[in-house]
Amino acid sequence: MKAQRNLNKNDAQIATYFYQLYHYLYPKDVKMSFELVYLLPLTELTAAAPITKIVKSLMTKEEYQTFANQAYDRLYNDK
């Protein structure tokens, strides 16, 4: 995220960048693609919240449903 900020990219451009990474990883490694977006807010805390929302809005229905299921499992089923 810092590298993208250093290139003077706005939130929408950064979100598109992260979505492209997510979309590339998704068919190859669903768990890793989830981690990429799920842990994104930890990179800049509240500054990443709008970016995370944009990334999720760019996901296909299948990608979003998988992401939501993984997030639910992370919150309620992981010990």
Side-chain angles (χ1 to χ4, degrees):
M1 176 121 23
K2 284 183 182 181
Q4 293 295 306
R5 292 268 187 229
N6 289 339
L7 294 172
N8 294 321
K9 294 193 176 183
N10 63 33
D11 286 355
Q13 291 169 318
I14 295 171
T16 300
Y17 171 78
F18 278 101
Y19 174 70
Q20 289 171 341
L21 288 173
Y22 175 86
H23 190 69
Y24 175 79
L25 286 172
Y26 183 79
K28 296 168 180 36
D29 189 344
V30 174
K31 183 175 171 52
M32 184 58 72
S33 63
F34 166 75
E35 296 291 331
L36 174 73
V37 176
Y38 188 77
L39 297 176
L40 190 58
L42 297 179
T43 60
E44 286 191 7
L45 299 176
T46 58
I51 294 170
T52 303
K53 281 185 177 182
I54 296 168
V55 171
K56 289 193 271 183
S57 74
L58 294 171
M59 291 178 183
T60 65
K61 285 184 180 185
E62 177 190 335
E63 290 171 341
Y64 184 80
Q65 187 62 46
T66 302
F67 180 85
N69 289 341
Q70 289 173 309
Y72 181 88
D73 285 346
R74 172 67 69 89
L75 288 172
Y76 297 108
N77 296 331
D78 280 358
K79 304 260 188 279

Coordinates of all heavy atoms in Angstrom, one line a residue:
M1 N 0.8 -1.2 0.0 CA 0.0 0.0 0.0 C 0.9 1.3 0.0 O 0.6 2.2 -0.7 CB -0.9 0.0 1.2 CG -1.7 1.2 1.3 SD -3.5 1.2 1.3 CE -4.0 -0.4 1.8
K2 N 2.0 1.2 0.8 CA 2.8 2.4 0.8 C 3.4 2.7 -0.6 O 3.5 3.8 -1.0 CB 4.0 2.2 1.8 CG 3.5 2.3 3.2 CD 4.7 2.2 4.2 CE 4.3 2.3 5.6 NZ 5.4 2.2 6.5
A3 N 3.8 1.6 -1.3 CA 4.3 1.9 -2.7 C 3.3 2.5 -3.6 O 3.7 3.4 -4.4 CB 4.8 0.5 -3.2
Q4 N 2.1 2.1 -3.4 CA 1.0 2.7 -4.2 C 0.8 4.2 -3.8 O 0.6 5.0 -4.7 CB -0.3 1.9 -4.1 CG -0.2 0.5 -4.7 CD 0.0 0.6 -6.2 OE1 -0.8 1.2 -6.9 NE2 1.0 -0.1 -6.6
R5 N 0.8 4.4 -2.5 CA 0.7 5.8 -2.0 C 1.8 6.7 -2.5 O 1.6 7.8 -2.9 CB 0.6 5.9 -0.5 CG -0.6 5.2 0.1 CD -1.7 6.3 0.3 NE -2.8 5.7 1.0 CZ -4.0 5.8 0.6 NH1 -4.4 6.5 -0.4 NH2 -5.0 5.2 1.3
N6 N 3.0 6.1 -2.6 CA 4.2 6.9 -3.0 C 4.1 7.2 -4.5 O 4.8 8.2 -5.0 CB 5.5 6.1 -2.8 CG 5.8 6.0 -1.3 OD1 5.4 6.9 -0.5 ND2 6.6 5.1 -0.9
L7 N 3.3 6.5 -5.3 CA 3.1 6.8 -6.7 C 1.9 7.8 -6.8 O 1.5 8.0 -8.0 CB 2.8 5.5 -7.4 CG 3.9 4.5 -7.5 CD1 3.4 3.2 -8.1 CD2 5.1 5.0 -8.3
N8 N 1.5 8.3 -5.7 CA 0.4 9.3 -5.7 C -0.9 8.8 -6.3 O -1.6 9.5 -7.0 CB 0.8 10.6 -6.4 CG 1.9 11.3 -5.7 OD1 1.9 11.3 -4.5 ND2 2.9 11.8 -6.4
K9 N -1.2 7.5 -6.1 CA -2.4 6.9 -6.5 C -3.5 7.2 -5.5 O -3.3 7.2 -4.3 CB -2.3 5.5 -6.8 CG -1.3 5.2 -7.9 CD -1.4 3.8 -8.4 CE -0.5 3.6 -9.6 NZ -0.6 2.2 -10.1
N10 N -4.8 7.4 -6.0 CA -5.9 7.6 -5.1 C -6.5 6.3 -4.7 O -6.1 5.2 -5.1 CB -7.0 8.5 -5.8 CG -7.5 7.9 -7.1 OD1 -7.7 6.7 -7.1 ND2 -7.9 8.7 -8.0
D11 N -7.5 6.4 -3.8 CA -8.0 5.1 -3.2 C -8.6 4.2 -4.3 O -8.4 3.0 -4.2 CB -9.1 5.5 -2.2 CG -8.6 6.0 -0.9 OD1 -7.3 6.0 -0.7 OD2 -9.4 6.4 0.0
A12 N -9.3 4.8 -5.3 CA -9.9 3.9 -6.3 C -8.8 3.2 -7.1 O -8.9 2.0 -7.5 CB -10.7 4.8 -7.3
Q13 N -7.7 3.9 -7.4 CA -6.6 3.3 -8.2 C -5.9 2.2 -7.4 O -5.6 1.1 -7.9 CB -5.6 4.3 -8.6 CG -6.1 5.3 -9.7 CD -5.2 6.5 -9.9 OE1 -4.7 7.0 -8.9 NE2 -5.0 6.8 -11.1
I14 N -5.7 2.4 -6.1 CA -5.1 1.5 -5.2 C -6.0 0.2 -5.1 O -5.6 -0.9 -5.1 CB -4.8 2.1 -3.8 CG1 -3.7 3.2 -4.0 CG2 -4.3 1.0 -2.9 CD1 -3.5 4.0 -2.7
A15 N -7.3 0.5 -4.9 CA -8.3 -0.6 -4.8 C -8.3 -1.5 -6.1 O -8.3 -2.7 -6.0 CB -9.7 -0.1 -4.5
T16 N -8.2 -0.8 -7.2 CA -8.2 -1.6 -8.5 C -6.9 -2.4 -8.5 O -7.0 -3.6 -9.0 CB -8.2 -0.6 -9.7 OG1 -9.4 0.2 -9.6 CG2 -8.1 -1.3 -11.0
Y17 N -5.8 -1.9 -8.1 CA -4.6 -2.6 -8.0 C -4.7 -3.9 -7.2 O -4.4 -5.0 -7.6 CB -3.4 -1.7 -7.5 CG -2.1 -2.5 -7.2 CD1 -1.3 -2.8 -8.2 CD2 -1.8 -2.8 -5.9 CE1 -0.1 -3.5 -8.0 CE2 -0.6 -3.4 -5.6 CZ 0.2 -3.8 -6.7 OH 1.4 -4.4 -6.4
F18 N -5.3 -3.7 -6.0 CA -5.4 -4.8 -5.1 C -6.5 -5.8 -5.6 O -6.3 -7.0 -5.4 CB -5.7 -4.4 -3.6 CG -4.5 -4.0 -2.9 CD1 -4.2 -2.7 -2.7 CD2 -3.7 -5.0 -2.4 CE1 -3.0 -2.3 -2.0 CE2 -2.5 -4.6 -1.7 CZ -2.2 -3.3 -1.5
Y19 N -7.5 -5.3 -6.2 CA -8.5 -6.3 -6.8 C -7.8 -7.1 -7.9 O -8.1 -8.3 -8.0 CB -9.7 -5.5 -7.4 CG -10.6 -6.5 -8.1 CD1 -11.3 -7.5 -7.3 CD2 -10.7 -6.6 -9.4 CE1 -12.1 -8.5 -8.0 CE2 -11.5 -7.5 -10.1 CZ -12.2 -8.4 -9.3 OH -12.9 -9.4 -10.0
Q20 N -7.0 -6.5 -8.7 CA -6.3 -7.2 -9.8 C -5.5 -8.3 -9.2 O -5.4 -9.4 -9.7 CB -5.5 -6.3 -10.7 CG -6.4 -5.4 -11.6 CD -5.5 -4.3 -12.3 OE1 -4.4 -4.0 -11.9 NE2 -6.1 -3.8 -13.3
L21 N -4.8 -8.0 -8.1 CA -4.0 -9.1 -7.4 C -4.9 -10.2 -6.9 O -4.6 -11.4 -7.1 CB -3.2 -8.5 -6.3 CG -2.0 -7.6 -6.6 CD1 -1.5 -6.9 -5.3 CD2 -0.9 -8.4 -7.3
Y22 N -6.0 -9.8 -6.3 CA -7.0 -10.7 -5.7 C -7.5 -11.6 -6.9 O -7.6 -12.8 -6.7 CB -8.1 -10.0 -5.0 CG -9.2 -10.9 -4.6 CD1 -9.1 -11.5 -3.3 CD2 -10.3 -11.1 -5.4 CE1 -10.1 -12.3 -2.9 CE2 -11.3 -12.0 -4.9 CZ -11.2 -12.6 -3.7 OH -12.2 -13.4 -3.3
H23 N -8.0 -11.0 -7.9 CA -8.6 -11.7 -9.1 C -7.6 -12.6 -9.7 O -7.9 -13.7 -10.1 CB -9.1 -10.7 -10.1 CG -9.9 -11.3 -11.1 ND1 -11.2 -11.8 -10.9 CD2 -9.7 -11.5 -12.5 CE1 -11.7 -12.3 -12.0 NE2 -10.8 -12.1 -13.0
Y24 N -6.3 -12.3 -9.7 CA -5.3 -13.1 -10.3 C -5.0 -14.4 -9.4 O -4.9 -15.5 -9.8 CB -4.0 -12.4 -10.5 CG -2.8 -13.2 -10.9 CD1 -2.7 -13.6 -12.2 CD2 -1.8 -13.6 -10.0 CE1 -1.6 -14.4 -12.6 CE2 -0.8 -14.4 -10.4 CZ -0.7 -14.8 -11.7 OH 0.4 -15.6 -12.1
L25 N -5.0 -14.1 -8.1 CA -4.7 -15.2 -7.1 C -5.9 -16.1 -6.9 O -5.7 -17.3 -6.6 CB -4.3 -14.6 -5.7 CG -2.9 -14.0 -5.6 CD1 -2.8 -13.3 -4.3 CD2 -1.9 -15.1 -5.8
Y26 N -7.1 -15.6 -7.0 CA -8.3 -16.3 -6.6 C -8.4 -17.7 -7.3 O -8.6 -18.7 -6.5 CB -9.6 -15.5 -7.0 CG -10.9 -16.2 -6.6 CD1 -11.3 -16.1 -5.3 CD2 -11.7 -16.8 -7.5 CE1 -12.5 -16.7 -4.9 CE2 -12.8 -17.4 -7.2 CZ -13.2 -17.4 -5.8 OH -14.4 -18.0 -5.5
P27 N -8.2 -17.9 -8.6 CA -8.3 -19.3 -9.1 C -7.1 -20.2 -8.7 O -7.3 -21.4 -8.7 CB -8.3 -19.1 -10.6 CG -8.0 -17.6 -10.9 CD -8.0 -16.9 -9.6
K28 N -6.0 -19.6 -8.4 CA -4.8 -20.3 -8.0 C -4.8 -20.7 -6.6 O -4.3 -21.8 -6.2 CB -3.6 -19.5 -8.4 CG -3.4 -19.3 -9.9 CD -2.4 -18.3 -10.2 CE -2.2 -17.9 -11.6 NZ -3.3 -17.9 -12.5
D29 N -5.2 -19.8 -5.7 CA -5.1 -20.0 -4.2 C -6.1 -19.1 -3.5 O -5.9 -18.0 -3.2 CB -3.7 -19.6 -3.8 CG -3.4 -20.0 -2.3 OD1 -4.4 -20.3 -1.6 OD2 -2.2 -20.1 -1.9
V30 N -7.3 -19.7 -3.3 CA -8.4 -19.0 -2.7 C -8.0 -18.4 -1.3 O -8.4 -17.3 -1.0 CB -9.7 -19.9 -2.7 CG1 -10.8 -19.2 -1.9 CG2 -10.1 -20.2 -4.1
K31 N -7.3 -19.2 -0.5 CA -7.0 -18.8 0.8 C -6.0 -17.6 0.8 O -6.2 -16.6 1.5 CB -6.3 -20.0 1.6 CG -6.0 -19.6 3.0 CD -5.5 -20.9 3.7 CE -4.9 -20.6 5.1 NZ -5.7 -19.9 6.0
M32 N -5.1 -17.6 -0.1 CA -4.1 -16.5 -0.2 C -4.8 -15.2 -0.7 O -4.5 -14.1 -0.2 CB -2.9 -16.9 -1.1 CG -1.9 -15.8 -1.1 SD -1.2 -15.3 0.5 CE -0.2 -16.7 0.8
S33 N -5.7 -15.4 -1.6 CA -6.4 -14.2 -2.1 C -7.3 -13.6 -1.0 O -7.4 -12.4 -0.9 CB -7.3 -14.6 -3.4 OG -8.3 -15.5 -3.0
F34 N -7.9 -14.5 -0.2 CA -8.7 -14.0 0.9 C -7.8 -13.2 1.9 O -8.1 -12.1 2.3 CB -9.3 -15.2 1.7 CG -9.8 -14.8 3.0 CD1 -11.0 -14.1 3.1 CD2 -9.2 -15.2 4.2 CE1 -11.5 -13.7 4.4 CE2 -9.7 -14.8 5.4 CZ -10.8 -14.1 5.5
E35 N -6.6 -13.7 2.2 CA -5.7 -13.1 3.2 C -5.3 -11.7 2.6 O -5.1 -10.8 3.4 CB -4.5 -14.0 3.4 CG -4.7 -15.3 4.1 CD -5.2 -15.1 5.5 OE1 -4.8 -14.2 6.2 OE2 -5.9 -16.0 6.0
L36 N -5.0 -11.6 1.4 CA -4.6 -10.3 0.8 C -5.6 -9.2 1.1 O -5.2 -8.1 1.5 CB -4.5 -10.5 -0.8 CG -4.2 -9.2 -1.5 CD1 -2.8 -8.8 -1.3 CD2 -4.5 -9.4 -3.0
V37 N -6.9 -9.5 0.9 CA -7.9 -8.5 1.1 C -8.3 -8.4 2.6 O -8.5 -7.3 3.1 CB -9.2 -8.7 0.3 CG1 -10.3 -7.7 0.5 CG2 -8.8 -8.7 -1.2
Y38 N -8.4 -9.5 3.3 CA -8.8 -9.5 4.7 C -7.8 -8.8 5.6 O -8.2 -8.0 6.5 CB -8.9 -10.9 5.2 CG -9.6 -11.1 6.5 CD1 -10.9 -10.9 6.7 CD2 -8.8 -11.4 7.6 CE1 -11.5 -11.1 8.0 CE2 -9.3 -11.5 8.9 CZ -10.7 -11.4 9.0 OH -11.3 -11.5 10.3
L39 N -6.5 -8.9 5.3 CA -5.5 -8.2 6.1 C -5.1 -6.9 5.6 O -4.3 -6.2 6.2 CB -4.3 -9.1 6.2 CG -4.5 -10.5 6.8 CD1 -3.2 -11.3 6.8 CD2 -5.0 -10.3 8.3
L40 N -5.7 -6.4 4.5 CA -5.4 -5.1 4.0 C -5.6 -4.0 5.0 O -4.7 -3.1 5.0 CB -6.3 -4.9 2.7 CG -6.0 -3.7 1.8 CD1 -4.5 -3.7 1.3 CD2 -6.9 -3.6 0.7
P41 N -6.6 -3.9 5.8 CA -6.8 -2.8 6.7 C -5.6 -2.8 7.8 O -5.4 -1.7 8.3 CB -8.1 -3.1 7.4 CG -8.9 -3.9 6.5 CD -7.8 -4.7 5.7
L42 N -4.9 -3.8 8.0 CA -3.8 -3.8 8.9 C -2.6 -3.1 8.4 O -1.8 -2.7 9.2 CB -3.4 -5.3 9.3 CG -4.4 -6.1 10.0 CD1 -3.9 -7.5 10.2 CD2 -4.9 -5.5 11.3
T43 N -2.6 -2.8 7.1 CA -1.4 -2.1 6.5 C -1.4 -0.7 6.9 O -0.4 -0.1 7.1 CB -1.4 -2.3 5.0 OG1 -2.5 -1.8 4.4 CG2 -1.2 -3.7 4.6
E44 N -2.6 0.0 6.9 CA -2.7 1.4 7.2 C -3.8 1.7 8.1 O -4.3 2.8 8.2 CB -2.8 2.2 5.9 CG -1.5 2.3 5.1 CD -1.7 3.4 4.0 OE1 -2.7 4.1 4.0 OE2 -0.7 3.4 3.2
L45 N -4.3 0.7 8.8 CA -5.4 0.8 9.7 C -6.6 1.5 9.0 O -7.1 1.0 8.1 CB -5.0 1.5 11.0 CG -3.9 0.8 11.8 CD1 -3.5 1.6 13.0 CD2 -4.4 -0.6 12.2
T46 N -7.1 2.6 9.5 CA -8.3 3.2 9.0 C -8.2 3.7 7.6 O -9.2 3.8 6.9 CB -8.9 4.3 9.9 OG1 -7.8 5.3 10.0 CG2 -9.2 3.8 11.3
A47 N -7.0 4.0 7.1 CA -6.8 4.6 5.8 C -7.2 3.5 4.7 O -7.6 3.8 3.6 CB -5.4 5.0 5.5
A48 N -7.1 2.2 5.1 CA -7.4 1.2 4.1 C -8.9 0.8 4.1 O -9.3 0.1 3.1 CB -6.6 -0.1 4.4
A49 N -9.7 1.2 5.0 CA -11.1 0.8 5.1 C -11.8 1.2 3.8 O -12.5 0.3 3.2 CB -11.8 1.4 6.3
P50 N -11.7 2.4 3.2 CA -12.4 2.7 2.0 C -11.9 1.8 0.8 O -12.6 1.4 -0.1 CB -12.2 4.2 1.7 CG -11.5 4.7 2.9 CD -11.0 3.6 3.8
I51 N -10.6 1.6 0.8 CA -10.0 0.7 -0.2 C -10.6 -0.7 -0.2 O -10.9 -1.3 -1.2 CB -8.5 0.8 -0.1 CG1 -8.0 2.2 -0.4 CG2 -7.8 -0.2 -1.1 CD1 -6.5 2.4 -0.1
T52 N -10.7 -1.2 1.0 CA -11.2 -2.6 1.2 C -12.6 -2.6 0.7 O -13.0 -3.6 0.0 CB -11.1 -3.0 2.7 OG1 -9.8 -2.9 3.1 CG2 -11.6 -4.4 2.9
K53 N -13.4 -1.6 1.0 CA -14.8 -1.6 0.5 C -14.9 -1.6 -1.0 O -15.7 -2.2 -1.6 CB -15.6 -0.3 1.0 CG -16.0 -0.4 2.4 CD -16.8 0.8 2.8 CE -17.4 0.7 4.2 NZ -18.2 1.8 4.6
I54 N -14.0 -0.8 -1.6 CA -14.0 -0.7 -3.1 C -13.6 -2.1 -3.7 O -14.2 -2.5 -4.6 CB -13.0 0.4 -3.6 CG1 -13.6 1.8 -3.1 CG2 -12.9 0.4 -5.1 CD1 -12.6 2.9 -3.3
V55 N -12.5 -2.7 -3.1 CA -12.1 -4.0 -3.6 C -13.2 -5.0 -3.5 O -13.5 -5.7 -4.5 CB -10.9 -4.5 -2.8 CG1 -10.6 -5.9 -3.1 CG2 -9.7 -3.6 -3.0
K56 N -14.0 -5.0 -2.4 CA -15.1 -5.9 -2.3 C -16.2 -5.6 -3.3 O -16.8 -6.5 -3.8 CB -15.6 -6.0 -0.8 CG -14.6 -6.6 0.1 CD -15.3 -6.9 1.5 CE -15.1 -5.7 2.4 NZ -15.6 -6.0 3.7
S57 N -16.4 -4.4 -3.6 CA -17.4 -4.0 -4.6 C -17.0 -4.4 -6.0 O -17.9 -4.6 -6.8 CB -17.7 -2.5 -4.5 OG -16.7 -1.8 -5.1
L58 N -15.8 -4.6 -6.2 CA -15.3 -5.0 -7.6 C -15.4 -6.5 -7.8 O -15.3 -7.0 -8.9 CB -13.8 -4.6 -7.8 CG -13.6 -3.1 -7.9 CD1 -12.1 -2.7 -7.9 CD2 -14.3 -2.5 -9.1
M59 N -15.5 -7.3 -6.7 CA -15.5 -8.7 -6.7 C -16.8 -9.2 -7.5 O -17.8 -8.6 -7.4 CB -15.5 -9.3 -5.3 CG -14.2 -9.2 -4.6 SD -14.4 -9.9 -2.9 CE -12.8 -9.5 -2.3
T60 N -16.6 -10.4 -8.1 CA -17.8 -11.0 -8.7 C -18.6 -11.6 -7.6 O -18.1 -11.7 -6.4 CB -17.4 -12.2 -9.7 OG1 -16.7 -13.2 -8.9 CG2 -16.5 -11.7 -10.8
K61 N -19.9 -12.0 -7.9 CA -20.7 -12.6 -6.8 C -20.1 -13.8 -6.2 O -20.1 -14.0 -5.0 CB -22.1 -12.9 -7.4 CG -23.0 -11.7 -7.6 CD -24.3 -12.1 -8.1 CE -25.2 -10.9 -8.3 NZ -26.6 -11.2 -8.6
E62 N -19.5 -14.6 -7.0 CA -18.8 -15.8 -6.5 C -17.6 -15.5 -5.6 O -17.5 -16.0 -4.6 CB -18.3 -16.7 -7.7 CG -17.6 -17.9 -7.2 CD -16.9 -18.7 -8.4 OE1 -17.3 -18.6 -9.5 OE2 -15.9 -19.4 -8.1
E63 N -16.8 -14.6 -6.1 CA -15.6 -14.1 -5.3 C -16.1 -13.5 -4.0 O -15.5 -13.9 -2.9 CB -14.8 -13.1 -6.1 CG -14.1 -13.6 -7.2 CD -13.4 -12.6 -8.1 OE1 -13.8 -11.4 -8.0 OE2 -12.5 -12.9 -8.9
Y64 N -17.1 -12.7 -4.0 CA -17.6 -12.0 -2.8 C -18.1 -13.1 -1.8 O -17.9 -13.0 -0.6 CB -18.6 -10.9 -3.1 CG -18.9 -10.2 -1.8 CD1 -18.1 -9.2 -1.3 CD2 -20.1 -10.5 -1.1 CE1 -18.4 -8.6 -0.1 CE2 -20.4 -9.9 0.1 CZ -19.6 -8.9 0.6 OH -19.9 -8.3 1.8
Q65 N -18.9 -14.0 -2.4 CA -19.5 -15.0 -1.5 C -18.5 -15.9 -0.8 O -18.5 -16.1 0.4 CB -20.5 -15.9 -2.3 CG -21.3 -16.9 -1.4 CD -22.2 -16.2 -0.4 OE1 -22.9 -15.2 -0.8 NE2 -22.1 -16.6 0.8
T66 N -17.5 -16.2 -1.6 CA -16.4 -17.0 -1.0 C -15.6 -16.2 0.0 O -15.3 -16.7 1.1 CB -15.4 -17.4 -2.1 OG1 -16.1 -18.2 -3.1 CG2 -14.2 -18.3 -1.6
F67 N -15.4 -14.9 -0.3 CA -14.7 -14.0 0.7 C -15.5 -13.9 2.0 O -15.0 -14.0 3.1 CB -14.5 -12.6 0.1 CG -13.8 -11.7 1.0 CD1 -12.4 -11.7 1.1 CD2 -14.5 -10.8 1.8 CE1 -11.8 -10.8 1.9 CE2 -13.9 -10.0 2.7 CZ -12.5 -9.9 2.7
A68 N -16.8 -13.7 1.8 CA -17.7 -13.5 3.0 C -17.7 -14.8 3.8 O -17.7 -14.7 5.1 CB -19.1 -13.2 2.5
N69 N -17.7 -16.0 3.2 CA -17.7 -17.2 3.9 C -16.4 -17.4 4.7 O -16.4 -17.9 5.8 CB -18.0 -18.4 3.0 CG -19.4 -18.5 2.5 OD1 -20.3 -17.9 3.0 ND2 -19.6 -19.2 1.3
Q70 N -15.3 -17.1 4.0 CA -14.0 -17.2 4.7 C -13.9 -16.2 5.9 O -13.3 -16.6 6.9 CB -12.9 -16.9 3.7 CG -12.7 -18.1 2.7 CD -11.7 -17.7 1.6 OE1 -11.8 -16.6 1.0 NE2 -10.8 -18.6 1.4
A71 N -14.4 -15.0 5.7 CA -14.4 -14.0 6.8 C -15.2 -14.5 8.0 O -14.8 -14.4 9.1 CB -14.9 -12.7 6.3
Y72 N -16.4 -15.1 7.7 CA -17.3 -15.6 8.7 C -16.5 -16.7 9.5 O -16.5 -16.8 10.7 CB -18.6 -16.1 8.1 CG -19.5 -16.7 9.2 CD1 -20.4 -15.8 9.8 CD2 -19.5 -18.0 9.5 CE1 -21.3 -16.3 10.8 CE2 -20.3 -18.5 10.5 CZ -21.2 -17.7 11.1 OH -22.1 -18.2 12.1
D73 N -15.9 -17.6 8.7 CA -15.2 -18.7 9.3 C -14.1 -18.2 10.2 O -13.8 -18.7 11.3 CB -14.6 -19.7 8.3 CG -15.7 -20.6 7.7 OD1 -16.8 -20.7 8.2 OD2 -15.4 -21.2 6.6
R74 N -13.4 -17.2 9.7 CA -12.2 -16.6 10.4 C -12.7 -16.1 11.8 O -12.1 -16.2 12.8 CB -11.6 -15.6 9.6 CG -10.5 -14.7 10.3 CD -9.2 -15.5 10.7 NE -8.5 -15.9 9.5 CZ -7.5 -15.2 9.0 NH1 -7.2 -14.0 9.4 NH2 -6.8 -15.6 7.9
L75 N -13.9 -15.4 11.7 CA -14.4 -14.7 12.9 C -15.0 -15.7 13.9 O -14.9 -15.5 15.1 CB -15.4 -13.6 12.6 CG -14.8 -12.4 11.9 CD1 -16.0 -11.5 11.4 CD2 -14.0 -11.6 12.9
Y76 N -15.7 -16.7 13.4 CA -16.6 -17.5 14.3 C -16.1 -18.9 14.5 O -16.5 -19.6 15.4 CB -18.0 -17.5 13.9 CG -18.6 -16.1 13.9 CD1 -18.8 -15.4 12.8 CD2 -18.8 -15.5 15.1 CE1 -19.3 -14.1 12.8 CE2 -19.3 -14.2 15.2 CZ -19.6 -13.5 14.0 OH -20.1 -12.2 14.1
N77 N -15.3 -19.5 13.6 CA -15.0 -20.9 13.7 C -13.5 -21.1 14.0 O -13.2 -22.2 14.4 CB -15.4 -21.6 12.3 CG -16.9 -21.6 12.2 OD1 -17.6 -21.5 13.1 ND2 -17.3 -21.6 10.9
D78 N -12.6 -20.2 13.7 CA -11.2 -20.4 14.0 C -11.0 -20.3 15.5 O -11.5 -19.4 16.1 CB -10.3 -19.4 13.3 CG -10.1 -19.8 11.8 OD1 -10.6 -20.8 11.4 OD2 -9.4 -19.0 11.1
K79 N -10.1 -21.1 15.9 CA -9.8 -21.1 17.4 C -8.4 -20.7 17.6 O -7.5 -21.0 16.8 CB -10.1 -22.5 18.0 CG -11.5 -23.0 17.8 CD -12.3 -22.8 19.0 CE -13.7 -23.4 18.9 NZ -14.7 -22.8 18.2

